[in-house]
Amino acid sequence: MAANVVHRHALPTRLWHWINAVAIVVLIGSGLGISNAHPRLYWGRYGATFDHAWWQLPRFPAWLTIPAGYNLAISRRWHLFFALVLAFGLLAYMIASLLNRHFQRDLRLRRRDLTRAHLAADWRAHLALRFHDPEDPRAYNAFQKISYVLVVFLALPLVILTGLALSPAMAAAWPWLLDLFGGRQSARSLHFLAMIAIAAFTIVHLALVILAGAWNEVRSMLTGRWRVPE
C-alpha cells in the first residue's frame, strides 16, 4: 500500500454503513408517509384530532414519501421491514465493533477531546476544511467522535425502542416500554424527534463528505483504503 494511503474502515463498519444508509433512507421516506395519515404530535398516552397537539406537522410531498403517493398500508410495510434491518444491523455492528475494538480504539472520547482548547482547534480546522490530523490520519476528530457516539448510542437506540413501543404486539408483550416513554403519544413524539436528529446528521455528514473529497471518502467506505490529503 502506498505511503499516503491508509486502511481506514474495517469490513464490518463498511457493510453496516451501506446497509444502514439504505435502511435510513427507506425508513425516513416511509415514516413521512405514515405521518401524513395523522400529522399531529402529542405528549402522554392519548391523542386524537380534536386534542391539543404540541406540533402540527406539514403534509409531506409525494416525492419525499415511500411510496410516492399516499398509501398508509404500503408505507407501514416498508417501515416495519426496514426497521428490522436497522435494528439487527445496529446490533451486529455493535458486536463486531466490540470484538475488533473499533469503539475503544476509534470512538472513545477522552478527557482531552472535550477540553475547550481542543474543541476550538477542531472547529477552526473544520472551517479551514481540514478534517484529519496530519500526524494520525486514521484518527477521528473530536466532532466526529461526539456525533458518532450520539447517533450510535443515543439516536438510533431511541428510534428503535420508541418504534417498538409503537407496535401494538410489542407493547402488549412488553408494556413497560410504553411506561418508559410516558405513553404511546410521547413515544411517537420522541420517535419523530429522533428521526429528525438522524436526518440532520445524515445531511451534515453528506455535506462534509463532499467538502472533504467525495470520491476519496466513498472509496474508503467501499474498499477501506483512504488517501491522505496533501
Side-chain angles (χ1 to χ4, degrees):
M1 188 176 294
N4 62 338
V5 174
V6 298
H7 190 273
R8 200 176 197 193
H9 302 294
L11 180 60
T13 300
R14 304 199 309 270
L15 287 174
W16 178 71
H17 175 274
W18 294 112
I19 292 171
N20 200 52
V22 173
I24 290 295
V25 170
V26 175
L27 284 167
I28 290 176
S30 57
L32 296 181
I34 295 170
S35 171
N36 280 344
H38 188 75
R40 294 162 65 88
L41 295 177
Y42 313 89
W43 295 114
R45 297 185 178 275
Y46 309 105
T49 301
F50 297 106
D51 293 332
H52 174 71
W54 72 271
W55 192 1
Q56 175 73 48
L57 299 169
R59 183 170 183 83
F60 297 101
W63 62 269
L64 271 179
T65 66
I66 295 176
Y70 180 70
N71 190 316
L72 181 58
I74 293 178
S75 291
R76 281 176 169 171
R77 291 175 187 172
W78 280 90
H79 204 74
L80 291 173
F81 177 79
F82 278 92
L84 293 174
V85 174
L86 180 75
F88 284 106
L90 179 63
L91 177 63
Y93 167 71
M94 285 186 163
I95 293 173
S97 296
L98 286 171
L99 293 176
N100 66 18
R101 300 176 66 82
H102 171 53
F103 287 154
Q104 181 176 355
R105 182 182 62 250
D106 301 319
L107 297 183
R108 185 176 62 171
L109 281 164
R110 296 169 173 83
R111 182 174 298 178
R112 67 174 181 271
D113 293 325
L114 301 177
T115 63
R116 183 178 301 178
H118 190 93
L119 291 173
D122 267 9
W123 180 250
R124 289 193 297 270
H126 273 71
L127 292 178
L129 303 184
R130 297 192 306 270
F131 303 113
H132 71 282
D133 182 353
E135 297 181 3
D136 187 4
R138 290 186 71 258
Y140 290 78
N141 61 56
F143 288 110
Q144 285 176 315
K145 290 181 181 181
I146 292 169
S147 59
Y148 291 152
V149 165
L150 289 175
V151 169
V152 172
F153 296 102
L154 181 60
L156 287 175
L158 179 61
V159 84
I160 291 169
L161 289 174
T162 51
L164 289 174
L166 292 173
S167 166
M170 298 307 299
W174 298 340
W176 55 267
L177 270 176
L178 287 177
D179 295 332
L180 177 65
F181 297 112
R184 183 178 301 278
Q185 295 305 322
S186 293
R188 184 168 176 260
S189 292
L190 290 171
H191 191 72
F192 197 86
L193 291 173
M195 180 277 292
I196 291 176
I198 294 168
F201 167 83
T202 303
I203 292 169
V204 174
H205 175 69
L206 290 174
L208 291 177
V209 165
I210 293 170
L211 291 173
W215 169 239
N216 193 28
E217 297 296 323
V218 171
R219 180 181 58 193
S220 73
M221 198 51 75
L222 289 170
T223 67
R225 298 175 63 199
W226 182 70
R227 184 176 296 278
V228 180
E230 296 295 335

